[in-house]
Structure formats: structure tokens, C-alpha cells
Amino acid sequence: MVASVAVGSLVWVEDHDEAWLDGEVISVNGDDVKVLCTSGKTVVVKSSNVYPKDAEAPPCGVDDMTKLAYLHEPGVLQNLKSRYDINEIYTYTGNILIAVNPFQRLPHLYDSHMMAQYKGAAFGELSPHPFAVADAAYRLMINEGISQAILVSGESGAGKTESTKLLMRYLAYMGGRLASEGRSVEQKVLESNPVLEAFGNAKTVRNNNSSRFGKFVELQFDERGRISGAAIRTYLLERSRVCQLSDPERNYHCFYMLCAAPPEDIKHLKLGNPRTFHYLNQTNCYELDGIDDAKEYIATRNAMDTVGISSEEQDSIFRVIAAILHLGNIEFTKGKEYDSSMPKDEKSWFHLRTAAELFMCDEKALEDSLCRRVIVTRDETITKELDPEAAVSSRDALAKVVYSRLFDWLVDKINNSIGQDPNSKYLIGVLDIYGFESFKTNSFEQFCINLTNEKLQQHFNQHVFKMEQEEYTREEINWSYIEFIDNQDVLDLIEKKPGGIIALLDEACMFPRSTHDTFAQKLYQTFKNHKRFSKPKLARSDFTICHYAGDVTYQTELFLEKNKDYVIAEHQALLSASKCSFASSLFPVSNEETSKQSKFSSIGSRFKQQLQALLETLSATEPHYIRCVKPNNLLKPHIFENQNVLQQLRCGGVLEAIRISCAGYPTKRPFYEFVDRFGVLAPEALDGSTDEVAVCKKLLEKVGLEGYQIGKTKVFLRAGQMAVLDTKRTEILGKSASIIQRKIRSYMARKSFILFRRSTILIQSVCRGELARHDYETMRREASCLRIQRDLRMYIARKAYKEKRASALSVQTGMRGMAARNELRFRRQTKAAILIQSHCRKFLAHSKYVKLKKATITTQSAWRGRVARKELRSLKMAARETGALQAAKNKLEKQVEELTWRLQLEKRMRTDLEEAKTQENTKLRTAVQELQLQLKEAKDTLVKEREAAKLAAETIPVIQEVPVVDHELTQKLNAENTELKDLVNSLKTKIIETEKKYEETYKLSEERLKQAMEAESMIVKLKTTMHSLEERIADMESENKIQWQSLLTNKGVPAHSPDLASKVLENGNHANESITLNDLLLTPEKGFETPDNKPRRPPIDRQHEDVDALMECVVKDVGFSQGKPVAAFTIYKCLLHWKSFEAERTSVFDRLVQMIGSAIEDQDSNDHMAYWLSNTSTLLFLLQKSMKPAGTAGTASVRKPQPTSLFGRMTMGFRSSPSTVNFGAASAALETVKQVEAKYPALLFNQQLIAYVEKMYGIIRDNLKKELGSLLALCIQAPRTSKGSVLRSGRSFGKESHTNHWQGIIDCLNTLLTTLKENFVPPVLVQKIFTQTFQYVNVQLFNSLLLRRECCTFSNGEYVKSGLAELELWCCQAKDEYAGSAWDELKHIRQAVGFLVIHQKYRISYDEIINDLCPVLSVQQLYRICTLYWDDNYNTRSVSSEVISSMRVLMTEDSNNAVSNSFLLDDNSSIPFSIDELSNSIEVKDFLDVKPALDLLENPYFHFLHE
């Protein structure tokens, strides 16, 4: 609220739609203030409803809202909105973290880099983050030995679960992962979420998956700070929801999941549609959008398996759930006796029998427990009948108690699965509980939930007040008179005994004839004078409570029914005697329950007890708070609804915490900030004064404020005092501005007068000259006119004569041709019409052509201009880089020695780390010994001085002795020595632990990778074996038929086909379409004999031997011929000769696939992988050129005969290659690669080859990345050393020291390039490998630059730039054939480093940065580099504040683009080439002179290779 409003002040005014609007005061009329809002709206409000706006607040907000100049509601809301617009979703309010859900993934905020940064950092030192809260809790637990609690609150959808996951992830990162079976403790906790959500979550008015219970996750730690166990505590389960629902809510999810279970489960449990069950059909909502209950049922059962619930226990759980549903369908009517009851109809009897069957109890016993009560007295036992209404209450009580105990059993089971540590020393608890609720209809559930939030708010208020008190105590200011805003009166109203609302509700429930009307009237009478209680108008039984978050009106219609929770002895006895062990375990028999008495218990009282237990747990811990906020109800990013957020801030208690702060000193400013802002109020106080405290006191005394406090480091101001100071400051600045404006205006007026006088003199001289020239021109014109008139008269007379003569001739001609024209008029008119039409069409076509031509020229001009401008920018950038290099040349020469020694020192530090530690300890011991010697000398000096003093005491008066021994210094040095020793030991321990974890993880990943590869090879082997067996079976059947036919005939049939063998089998190819049964029957017994009647081997054995020979040959390294792999060419020739591409079934391809898969099992050898990549890619190219799918040939299935004449061959060669001069080479190329009709096995083999090429490419690329990964971590930051040590080291190390890491990268690249060249890998693949590798280098270096502030320095930029120059030289040496566009992939790191090494950055404009220096970088990336930059050498400044402001504005405008918000780069691991690119990079003619494998050329069965 503004204390004094002046015209021109910036203020906040309340708005119904936008919550708050900012504007400027344009007039003040008493208490009425007229404000012009920035939205264009003009409003008139009271001065008491106007809040000041800080004009100097950062446009992107502050990370801690206690730093705001005005800590009020609109200021908080605007700060959250400003940070949300630039994706800063976390904000502090003191030590409270506010998290606004972005509704999008921001992975760069939660990776291992971030956790490493927040580890050990002081709270508030880095940007707000859940990691900071978790780290603060962990540090307090370790240092102070106090258990911690982190309370995560917010409404559904605000991100509580994600925040909880982040907290547990960070705590596991800090406390280690002591988990069994490969799963960490926090993973087990998260795996239990689906089970708890199924049985504890339900649809409410605002959320489809609202938790109807509170969850407190305890992470238990041992004395070393290691996680030793965990436990989940649940509180305040909403039991009444099982029996009573309000529209449009739903019951718990598990009921609907069970109704959507598989048919066999539904049949077994006798379930059906949810609409048929009373506990589910009280509302009209049965299904949720986007949720499949059948799938959720399967997922829930899988989650139960994960947490260790057996299938038998799962069946028992769902039996109990189904029994509860059947219980709800039992209706009662009056029985035969008075006030008795019985099941209403056959349907009710059916559900009764089903429930008894599912509970495995006696049907009669279940009926008696619902319809009768047994009263035990001293003398006898009395059985009392229950009326139908009481029977319904008994039924609902049984359902609620069964469900409640089932939920408790689930929680205990989950805790046993997670594993608790009873000997844990500390714990960190994370509380996730439902938030404040206020709907149109609020019943008993909302009453209990809001009571919980009132209790938690009181705990929160006490914590906030305690934090305020601690700060006041630290600053040593007087705070005893500050009043604390408490909500104890609301808690007394609800839970006080006797006389509270809960007590009155329990009292009403114990009287049978009480109704909600009588209960409401009792409330009205009891609390009619209570300031927090009121009765709404026009309401008979509603009441309103003024909560901390606002007024809530409750409807009492179902309060009594939902509060009743009888502990009925009959129910206990019934289920304890159940034959179902699970159901009986839920109701164990205890000594207290043996008596047949029904004890009344209310849900409200039980609720209050559980709440008290929760608060006792929280009180025993140190609390930390995270308030989650849902920015909009659409659950979409980049939408910030002010009213919605403001309501959540109220419900979350954030605004209440602000009110507590405002009750004291809401404005706290450090002395230097206060003097810097308000020094203009008293300039005389700043003259010659260096004491900031004295200056602040003088300023405040001059202004005349009262009630402020001066602390040790800050000025504390009361609410409204900041506005008074800003008003006075605005007045002084306004007067100063008026004086400046007056001087400027006088200066501008005099300057304008002098300029005007000079202009007047100049105009006069020009005008005089112009008049003289005008007179001369007039005289010339008069003389010219006379001559023109004479010539014109002569021309007119001659023209008139010619016209008369022509007219006469025309009349004569017209008379003569009149008759002819009359005859031809019609024809000419017709012809003229046709001509007009043609010309019109021509004109339209011409016009369209002209327009199109003009548009084309315009487009070409624009494009050429764009290309020219782009080239100009590149030239400018090159010129700037050249200038920067020339300017840095001299500096680099001076710093060679320093960089040389730094790198050599880093190398020595790595190799001699242990020796350095030993030397450091030796130095420390030496220092301690020297201190001890000094101490001894000091003692000797003291003794001597004392003796001298005794001698002098005889002549002079006694003087008091002053001790000269500095004991404090000695103790301090000893303490520092001890701390250094402890630090060294802790570092050793951490290094050893990290190495062990890395080795374990690496071994595990290697084992899993090996298992996967073995499984893959086994699958390939099995497939090959299966195909081979199928072929052998088919071959054996054929042979059996042949032998059987020969036995029948006993004589050979003369008709013998010599080509039968080729028809049956040809090297593994089954020619099914050419073999018939008749062919087999007519085959003689001597079919497998040679013409010399010598037996020969069957074709099947010959075929296998040929394939085996081929495999044995190509599996070895057979080298290269004419730069092409021999193995691939040999395989292709064999497949082509055997006609394997045209076969319907063959095992050759499977054998080849198995052979290739086995050959590349050794993935560590790049040489081996390059050899097979070359062979596989070449074979793939040959297949691509040869195969055409079957059926594409159409009617040309019968091949035309090849021309035999020379002219015919020349013609064929000319047609196939018209641009080739060497026709013989073209014909030979066609013979080398032939077109065939590919069948399915060949097409499948083609796809498998493609997969192998991509796999081997990825392996080689990933191997190179793995080698470069360790070197890149050392290349991003220049080694640090002192200048003195550099001078001492001289030039002994040369340039080797500062380039050894970069040289290692160059060596890796050269090694791989040599390997790929030696194995003749296609250049297109080599280009892609190095292009993606350079992209990986760019990503790693650039991301490290953005995540580590120590890397964004001038000297580090020079170091990285020198390394990039080495990479550029390598690209030039490798040439474009192999390097390709690899150098262009480093554009991000090149431009970022180029920006770092530029001098005088503050003179560079934003346009120059984005257009000339860094056109590739996004605004977010530039903003981060500019804010992280610091110069460790010359202390130069970063860019100007105007440039930073421009970047912030653009980031706000670009916030709708989700991609632009991420400033980190992603590494692309996809396959960047297509098969067409590979095929186009190789030509068929390259294979003309390739020779097959020599081993097979000597084999007579491979004679075709000689062709």
C-alpha cells in the first residue's frame, strides 16, 4: 500500500481478470487515484488499494523474492511470471523454494553436471533448484546431526511427484546407492507409486488422479551419511470415499480397474459394469479421458510383482476389493420382527452370498454381523436386531474398515520390500500431501483436508517466524515487539475438546436421532459469536469457516454418515474366522477385542490422531519447504494464469509467510545497496565518509523515518517506508531532470538560432543570383519565340495545302471503291473480329508473360542480394577473425612460456599426484616445526626479558609485563594443519570410491553387451541351422522318391534327362517352379553316375561343399584388388553364377549373414571393423546395382538374345552409356554386374546387409568418440599456473606442454583415417564418420563451456582457439574427400571461442553479435556466455547492459518456442547416410580389373571365376 501517491508514480492496482495490473498515476484527487495501466485501461481506485511498483526491478526477476524492494502480492506474482517467461521455474522466498510447473522437459537442469555443481554449494549461492534444498538438508543432517524433513505441497498437477523424484535422486547421489538386486532405494520407492496410486488415488473435481492420502517418505542414513533404508508412512486416508461419493467424482481407481479386468477374472469374481454397483454408481463419472482401466489393471499387477507381492496375494487383494463392491449392493428391508432387518430381495441375497464366498466366511454369520448386534452383560448375552437404516450403516462400516486395513497392509508390504534400517542414525523425510481444497460443494472430506492444511500452515508459520527471528538475532536488532500472526483460533474452533466442531460432530453421531439439521443448529448456537465462523445467508445447514487461504462454505448433509466409523466386534470375529488366510490376517484376534462389544469411533477423531502423529514427526525434524505451483489448468507450457497462481500461493501459505514478514521488517537492504539507491537524498552525507553505517543513519535521519532498524550488515525498513524513500527520491530526481532539461533547451535554442542565421544569409545570396539568371533567360526566350512563330506559320500553311490535296484524292478514290467496299464489308468485319480476338488473346498472354518475367527477375534479384549479404557477413567475420588473430599474435607469443609450463605442470600433477601429496604434508610438517622453533625462540626471548626486568627492577619502578607469545596464532596454524590433513584423506577416499563405482559399472555394461551379442549370434546360428535342416529334409524326400521309383521299375527307363541335377538343386537353390512329380518319377536309378559309369556325389553334397569352400576362403583377410575388396567381389560372382538371387529358398544368404556376424564380434578393433565395413558396403553396392524386384520386367521374362555382331555390341554399349567413348569397357561393365529378378531371400539379404553396414559404421564412430571423450575433458580448460613458476621454468618444455591433449586428438583422427584408407572404405562413409565426430566434439566442448563458469574466460578462449586451429589444419590435410564438411560442424564452439577472445566487448552491439560474430548461436546461448564471462588476465568487461537487456527481451518473445529454450546442444547418433548416397559414390567400371580370391581360382568347381 503506497503511503503517499504522486503523479508519475508506478503502481499496481487490483484487477478482476488479471489479478494485478501495473500502470502510472496520472492524477490524484484526495483518496482517489487515477491510474493509466500499461494495457491501455484507465481506472480510478482508492489510494489504500494501490501498491508501489519497483521501476528498477530486473526485467527477468530476482532469484530470491526477499530481495524485492516491495515484498507484496503483486510484486511476488510479477517476479514469478517474469522468471517463468524465460524458463526460470524455481524461485526462493528466503529458504522456501517455489517451483512453477513448466509442463515440458528441461533435461539440462537435472543432469549430473547440475548435481555436481550443487554438491557442497552454500544455499543461495547458485540458482534456485530442488538440488539446493536437498543439499542443504543433507548438509544440516551430517553437520548438525539433526533429522530433516522436506515438505512438498501444492495442488494436483503442480509437479509434486516430479519434485519428490528429484529430491530423492539427489539424496541418493549424495548418500550413495546401497541397493540390492541392482535397484536403488529411491527406485524401489518410485516403483511403489503405481500400487499406492491405484488404491489411494481417485478423481476429484479438479484433478483426475488426486491423492486421497498423505505420504511421508523416509530415507534413512547411517552415521557416514549413506542411505541404509527407507520407509513410506501414509496418513489420513479418505475412508468415507469407499461408501459415499459426490458427482462428478469417482471412487478409488482399483474398483474401476477390477471391473475392467480380463473376462476370466470378472467371471471368477462375479463382477460386471461399474454402473451396477452402488459404491460406484452414486456419480455419473465412470471413465477418464485417455485412461484405459483394463491396461491400468495389468500395469498395477505388474507393479505389484515388482514390489514383491506374490500372485496369490494379488488374487486375495482383488477378492477383497470385489467383496467390498458386492457388500455395497446388499439392500435391507424390514424383517419379520419389530425393528429387525433382512436382505431386501434375491439380488441382495446373491450379493450377500457372493461377498461371503469371496471373504471365505459363513453366509449366515455375515448376515448376522450386518443385521444384528450381540450385547454382553454380566448375566447374559442379548442379541439385538438392527433396523434397515442401522444395517446399512453396519454394512458401510464393514466396507470402510476392510478397505482401510487392506491399504495399511499394502503399505507395510511395500515397506518390507524396500527394506528399513532400524539402526539408522538420521533420516530425511519428504512429505507429499494434498493441498487446500475449496469447491462449490465442500463436504466432510474437504473439511478434514483443510484441517490438515491449517495444522501444516501453523507449523509453516512458526518456521517462517523462527527464520525471521534468527535473522533479526544475527543482525542484532530489536524485534521483541513484533506480533506473530497465528491461526490457533481456527484450530481451536475445529478440534478443541470439548466444544470444537469435531467434538460436536462425534457427539451428534452417538445419538441415533441426530440429523445434519440438528448438528448445524448446534454449531450455530455454539459459535454464533466466533469471528472465524459464520452462517451463510439463505442456507439452512451450511456453515463457513474463515481459513488462512480464504473462506470455505461446508455442506453438512453427509457429515454424520461420513464420520461414523464403528469398530464392530461382530465384524472382527467374522473376518478373523475367515478361511481366507489373507482376509483373516487383516483382522488379527487381540485380547482387547474378545469381548463382544461395539466401540464407537469416528473418522474425524482418527483423522485428528493421525494428524497429530504427523506433526510430532515433523516437529522432531528440521523442516524445508517446496511449494509447487500449477501455472494453468490447461496443463500446457508458456501459459501463466495470474488468478490461478495467486490462489495457489494463498493456499500454499506463501502469501501468509509474506504477511508474517511484513509484520516485521519486510524490506532488508545491504548497506551498499541502500546507499547506492538513496544516496541522492543526502549527498552531503557521502562527502568524505567511508562508514556506510553512519551514512545510512544520516540518510534516514534526514528523511525523518521512524521505526527502522540498523543491523550489522543491513538496513531493516517497516512496511511502506520503502515507498516513502522512493517517493522522495523520485522528487529529487525529477527536480534534477528539470534543471538538466532547462540547460539542454537553452543550449539547443542558441544552437538553432546560429544555424538559422547562417542559413538565412546563404539563402539570400542564392536568391539574388537566381533572379539575375531568370532575367537573362527571359530575354533569350523572347528572341527564340519570334523565330519559332515564323517557322510555325510557314509549316501550318504548307500542311493545309497538303491536306486539301490529299482530301481530294481520297474522295475520288472513295467514290470509285464504294461498290467494292459494300460487297466486302461483311467479310472484312468478320476478319476484323477474328483479328481483334487474336490480338486480344496475344495481348493477355503477353501481359501474363511480362508479369511472370518481372516477378522472376524480382525473385532472382532478392535471392542474389541475400546471397551477397550472406557472403558479405562471412567476409566481415573472416576480417574480424583475422584482425583478432593479428591482435592476439603478440600476446600469444608472450604467453607461450606460461601456457607451456601450465600444461607440463598438469601432466606432472597427474603422474606424480601421490608424490605431490607427500611433499605437501612434508611442507606442512616443516611449517609446524618452524612455528615451534619460533615459539621456542619467543619463549627464550621472554625469559631473557624477564631476567633483564629483574635487574632493572632495582633502579626503576615495576612495569607490568606484556606477553609476547601469540598463542592464538599457534592454535590457528595447528587447526589449519589438521584441516588440511583431513581434506587430503577425504579426497583420497572419494577418488578410491569413484574408481570402484566406475569399474563396477563398466564391468556390468560389458557383461550385458556381451550377453546381447551372444544372444544375437545364437539366433542367427539357430536360423541357419533351421534352414539347413529344412533343405536337407526336402533333398532326402527327393532322393527317397527316386530310389523308390527305381525299385518299382527294376529296369532303367531310356528317357533320361541329363539336366535333372540342375533342375533339382543348383548350389542350394530350390527351383520349385521347374520340378514336377513326373520328372522325379521318370528319373532312373543311375541318375547320379558319370558318363563313364563312375558314381559321383549327389548335388546336395556338392552344393554344401562349394558353399563351405567359399566361406572358408572369404572369412580370412584376402586383401584388396585395384582398390576393391576381393572377398565382396568373390561372393558376388558366386551368388550370380549360382543364381541365388532368383531362388525362392536358399541357405547361402543365412550362411553369409552368420559369417559376417561372427566376424565383427570383436568391436574394439577398428582395423578389423574397417575391413568388414569395406567388404559389406561393396557387396551391398553390387547387390543394389544387380537386383530388380520380381515382376517389374512385365512381359520381358524371356530375355532377348545378346547381339553377337560387332555392330550389335557397339549399339548396346552406346545405348547403356551414351556419354562413354570406350564401348568395350561399357560392355565389360555390363557383363560384370548383371540385372536379375530378385526373390524374397535376396531382398531379405539386402536388408540385412544394410543393417550390418549401419551397425559397423556406428561401432567405428562410437569407438572414436570413446577415445576422444577423455581428451576433450582436458581440452576445454587451459591448465592453471602462476607467472612466477613460468618464469622459473624457462623454455625447456617448448610447445609440447600446451598442445599435448589436442595432439592426442589429432593422433586419434590420423590413426583412424589411415585405417580407413588402408581398407578402402568408401569415401562417403569416411566423410560421415568424421563429420559426426566433429559434431560430437562441438557438442562436448560447447556444453562444457556453458555449464562451467571457469571455462568462460579470455585465456581459456585463447587456449581452445589454438586447439581448434590444429583441427582446422588436420581438415585441410585430410582434404574434402575424407574430411568433407567436418570443419563446419564446429561452428558453435568456434563462434563462442571467437567471442571470448574479442577485446572491448562492451562496445559491441547486439546486431553485430548476432549478424557478424555469432550468427549460429541462439539468444539463450549468447545470454549465458555473456553472463558467465570473466577475464582472469586483463579484467575486461563483458557486453554492455543494453545488450543484456535486449537478449532478455528476445528470450521472453521466444518463450513460445520450446526448442529455443534449451541452451545445450544434443549429440546426433543417427545414421546420416542413405543407401543411394553409398551407391552413387561407387561406379561399376571400377570392378573391371578386380581379381577374385586366388584360393578359389585353383578349385575346379569355381572355374566360372576365370570368366
Side-chain angles (χ1 to χ4, degrees), residues 738-796:
S738 299
I739 296 174
I740 295 171
Q741 289 173 356
R742 184 181 66 199
K743 296 293 184 181
I744 293 295
R745 287 176 184 144
S746 62
Y747 168 75
M748 296 299 294
R750 178 169 179 81
K751 184 178 180 181
S752 177
F753 167 73
I754 294 173
L755 181 62
F756 181 74
R757 187 175 66 178
R758 290 178 181 175
S759 301
T760 302
I761 296 172
L762 181 62
I763 291 172
Q764 288 175 352
S765 63
V766 172
C767 287
R768 292 188 185 104
E770 183 66 25
L771 288 174
R773 286 189 293 274
H774 181 70
D775 293 342
Y776 173 73
E777 185 69 22
T778 302
M779 294 172 65
R780 287 185 63 191
R781 287 189 176 185
E782 289 178 354
S784 300
C785 286
L786 293 175
R787 186 170 181 175
I788 291 171
Q789 289 174 1
R790 183 188 66 193
D791 294 339
L792 181 60
R793 292 189 187 102
M794 179 182 69
Y795 170 75
I796 291 174

Side-chain angles (χ1 to χ4, degrees), residues 115-126 131-132 135-136 139 170:
M115 287 194 287
Q117 287 183 5
Y118 281 91
K119 182 178 181 180
F123 188 82
E125 178 181 344
L126 301 178
F131 291 164
D135 186 78
R139 297 293 170 188
Y170 185 84

Side-chain angles (χ1 to χ4, degrees), residues 1161-1418:
E1161 288 181 354
D1162 182 14
Q1163 300 183 0
D1164 295 332
S1165 175
N1166 281 338
D1167 192 5
H1168 188 66
M1169 299 302 298
Y1171 171 77
W1172 281 105
L1173 177 61
S1174 177
N1175 278 278
T1176 310
S1177 58
T1178 303
L1179 181 59
L1180 177 62
F1181 162 75
L1182 294 172
L1183 295 184
Q1184 290 286 332
K1185 292 297 183 181
S1186 298
M1187 292 191 306
K1188 56 182 179 181
T1192 57
T1195 59
S1197 59
V1198 179
R1199 297 185 179 180
K1200 296 180 179 180
Q1202 297 291 334
T1204 57
S1205 64
L1206 175 63
F1207 178 76
R1209 291 197 299 271
M1210 291 176 62
T1211 304
M1212 291 300 293
F1214 178 76
R1215 289 177 181 175
S1216 62
S1217 180
S1219 61
T1220 305
V1221 179
N1222 189 352
F1223 299 107
S1227 178
L1230 289 175
E1231 291 295 331
T1232 303
V1233 179
K1234 298 180 181 180
Q1235 288 284 322
V1236 296
E1237 294 182 1
K1239 300 298 183 180
Y1240 175 75
L1243 296 176
L1244 180 61
F1245 180 59
N1246 183 60
Q1247 296 298 322
Q1248 291 171 331
L1249 283 182
I1250 294 174
Y1252 271 121
V1253 169
E1254 294 177 349
K1255 180 179 180 181
M1256 285 183 277
Y1257 169 87
I1259 291 172
I1260 296 175
R1261 178 198 60 197
D1262 295 339
N1263 286 342
L1264 180 57
K1265 287 183 179 180
K1266 190 184 300 182
E1267 292 179 11
L1268 298 181
S1270 58
L1271 295 174
L1272 290 176
L1274 304 174
C1275 291
I1276 186 57
Q1277 187 175 4
R1280 299 193 178 191
T1281 184
S1282 61
K1283 293 184 179 180
S1285 59
V1286 172
L1287 295 176
R1288 289 192 299 269
S1289 64
R1291 297 180 178 270
S1292 59
F1293 302 119
K1295 295 183 178 180
E1296 180 185 359
S1297 179
H1298 80 281
T1299 59
N1300 56 353
H1301 302 311
W1302 290 101
Q1303 188 59 42
I1305 294 179
I1306 300 299
D1307 293 341
C1308 290
L1309 296 176
N1310 285 329
T1311 301
L1312 182 61
L1313 180 59
T1314 303
T1315 301
L1316 297 177
K1317 284 183 178 179
E1318 291 175 351
N1319 289 278
F1320 298 98
V1321 176
V1324 64
L1325 297 182
V1326 180
Q1327 288 182 8
K1328 298 299 182 180
I1329 288 174
F1330 287 115
T1331 299
Q1332 281 198 308
T1333 301
F1334 273 62
Q1335 182 187 19
Y1336 169 77
V1337 172
N1338 179 64
V1339 170
Q1340 294 299 316
L1341 294 179
F1342 187 74
N1343 287 349
S1344 299
L1345 195 70
L1346 297 185
L1347 290 173
R1348 299 168 59 183
R1349 184 173 183 269
E1350 63 271 13
C1351 296
C1352 282
T1353 63
F1354 185 88
S1355 62
N1356 195 67
E1358 293 178 330
Y1359 171 72
V1360 178
K1361 190 170 184 179
S1362 65
L1364 294 178
E1366 297 287 336
L1367 292 181
E1368 184 179 14
L1369 179 61
W1370 181 88
C1371 290
C1372 295
Q1373 294 174 350
K1375 300 180 181 180
D1376 291 341
E1377 182 182 4
Y1378 297 108
S1381 60
W1383 175 246
D1384 295 335
E1385 296 296 332
L1386 300 177
K1387 52 191 174 183
H1388 287 86
I1389 187 63
R1390 284 163 47 201
Q1391 294 182 7
V1393 169
F1395 175 78
L1396 290 180
V1397 299
I1398 291 177
H1399 295 276
Q1400 297 181 344
K1401 295 181 179 63
Y1402 60 90
R1403 294 185 179 181
I1404 304 174
S1405 65
Y1406 178 72
D1407 292 335
E1408 290 177 334
I1409 294 176
I1410 62 173
N1411 294 328
D1412 300 333
L1413 299 177
C1414 307
V1416 176
L1417 304 186
S1418 66

Side-chain angles (χ1 to χ4, degrees), residues 172 542 606 656 711 747 903 938 1018 1415:
D542 299 350
R606 187 186 297 270
E656 189 73 14
Y747 168 75
L903 290 173
M1018 182 61 68

Side-chain angles (χ1 to χ4, degrees), residues 116 214 343 419 446-448 540 629 643 700 973 1020 1136 1256 1325 1388:
Q446 283 69 43
F447 178 77
C448 295
R540 299 179 57 186
V629 176
Q643 291 285 11
L700 293 170
L973 291 173
V1020 174
L1136 198 63
M1256 285 183 277
L1325 297 182
H1388 287 86

Side-chain angles (χ1 to χ4, degrees), residues 329 331-333 342-351:
N329 280 12
E331 300 179 2
F332 298 95
T333 185
M342 60 180 295
K344 182 178 180 181
D345 49 19
E346 184 58 32
K347 178 182 176 182
S348 299
W349 280 106
F350 167 77
H351 288 291

